[in-house]
Amino acid sequence: MKKPRIAMLSEHASPLALLGGEDAGGQNVYVSEVSTNVSALGFQVDVFTRQDSEKAQEINEWAKGVRVINLRAGPATFLKKDELWVHMPQFYDSLLSFAHKQRIKYDLIHANFWMSGSVACDLRREWAVPFVEIFHALGRIKRLYQGEADTSPEDRIDVENRVVDTADVIIAQCPAEKEELVELYGADEERISIVPSAVDTDVFKPVPKRQARKTLGLNPNDKILVYVGRLLPRKAIDDIVYALAILAQRTPRVPRLLIVGGETEHVSPENHEEVRRLAGIAASLGVGHLLTFIGRRRHVVLKYYYSAADVCVSTPWYEPFGLVPLEAMACGTPMVVSEVGGMKFTVQDGKTGFHVPPKDPAALAAKLELLLNDGILRETMGRRARERVQESFTWRQVAKRMALIYDQLLSAQLARDRVPGAHEAGYASFGPASFGQDL
Ligand code: UDP
């Protein structure tokens, strides 16, 4: 039987970026893992992304059953994602002409982020196929937290409203996102399905602490905190620095903080604005010597950092989902996270780590102190964290849930095709069950 063909749209986050040292965040990982794992369950996936270099080939074999297609949309150079909106009409045209040229009929669209969602709304009408949307981040939430600093295009929220009204199924990554979609966008609950992101437990697995530290040239006796992620103000790494300064006044054995991330393998105050800002704050608090900016590291190397840590910390102002806590947990390390977004759901407070209010360095310092002084607590939480990931957050599990949603939509599509004049109705009304059920 012919495998259903999925058009996976991800205008700014390409799996190919994971190969280089470029700034690739959670969405790149998501697109790669979901595509690869659903293809193993009998789908053929083409990932459509924007060509961001003259050297990039149009068609790239990414994994068995998965290709990454670079589409011409604006100049073939790197552009910030907030600059891409004006190029989306060309993205749409390039996608249509690719499908036409290759004589491919896609059976279903899975769009990532609001801009691809907008393209998917038009493709859904053009191709008369179902459309699954995952936003990864919502414009209203971003505006709420970033205010004036939000550089998203003006149209974003209007476009998101259209996507919410048009998509046949919306994937929320956690209960908090589902609530936001319903309350802030008036989304129909019946069409929302909660499917979290996940982690590759073969890549992210515990390495004995001594060995991890030896590999990284770290002192086995130091207390070590690790932050992994992009270096952005909203990630509030400065709050970890403030917490360090509080700890430095209370305890003689102050932990070191390793900050892993950035656009390149080496980052320094000279070449990175956020590093400069953080280093400045640390110096003014007298804890500059405790910080090390590691730079960007590949996934295969990150397990050593997560395992070398006594505690991993991530205290952003907001976080739509957050892959980093899952990665740390998969390596058996307890997390202290701010009580926001997906992290409220992935990290269990008091069981696999601790929640603290965002923007509260004193609360963060208190939980860090508790964990740093209690090896048994760290070990118990770390073990439970690994178990939780294995039980609920592997890509295989996510792919199974996605495949079920795809199958339901494709069956609904078949049923709909048999009913004359039914093409204006939503697919969900032809589905065997509500997509709103959390599978
Ligand atoms: N990451 C990485 N190398 C680094 C820092 C981060 O590969 O040096 C990865 C990290 O492992 C995770 C992703 O970037 O998979 C960050 O995802 P998350 O959802 O935590 O945050 P986002 O970047 O999407 O805001």
Side-chain angles (χ1 to χ4, degrees), residues 31 118 129 142-143 148 167 193 195 204-205 211 216 218 228 275 341 354 378 391 395 400 407 421:
V31 170
S118 166
V129 297
K142 194 169 182 202
R143 185 162 297 174
E148 291 296 299
S193 196
V195 185
F204 293 100
K205 56 186 176 193
Q211 189 190 326
L216 299 174
L218 298 168
V228 175
V275 172
F354 285 114
R378 288 201 302 274
E391 273 160 25
W395 288 114
K400 276 191 196 158
D407 282 339

Side-chain angles (χ1 to χ4, degrees), residues 86 114 131 160 216 226 291 297 324 352 406 409 418:
V86 291
W114 65 277
F131 151 36
E160 285 176 339
L216 299 174
V226 169
L291 265 58
R297 290 294 177 270
V324 161
T352 61
Y406 292 171
L409 283 169
R418 287 196 207 107

Side-chain angles (χ1 to χ4, degrees), residues 24-27 29 204 228-230 234-235 260-262 295-299 302 306 319 321-325 327:
Q27 189 175 322
V29 176
F204 293 100
V228 175
R230 288 184 292 158
R234 82 144 165 108
K235 298 281 185 181
V260 186
R296 185 166 184 81
R297 290 294 177 270
R298 310 269 306 270
H299 272 183
L302 284 180
Y306 288 127
E319 190 63 70
F321 184 74
L323 287 174
V324 161
E327 293 167 359

Side-chain angles (χ1 to χ4, degrees), residues 330-342:
C331 294
T333 304
M335 280 294 310
V336 180
V337 295
S338 45
E339 195 180 11
V340 295

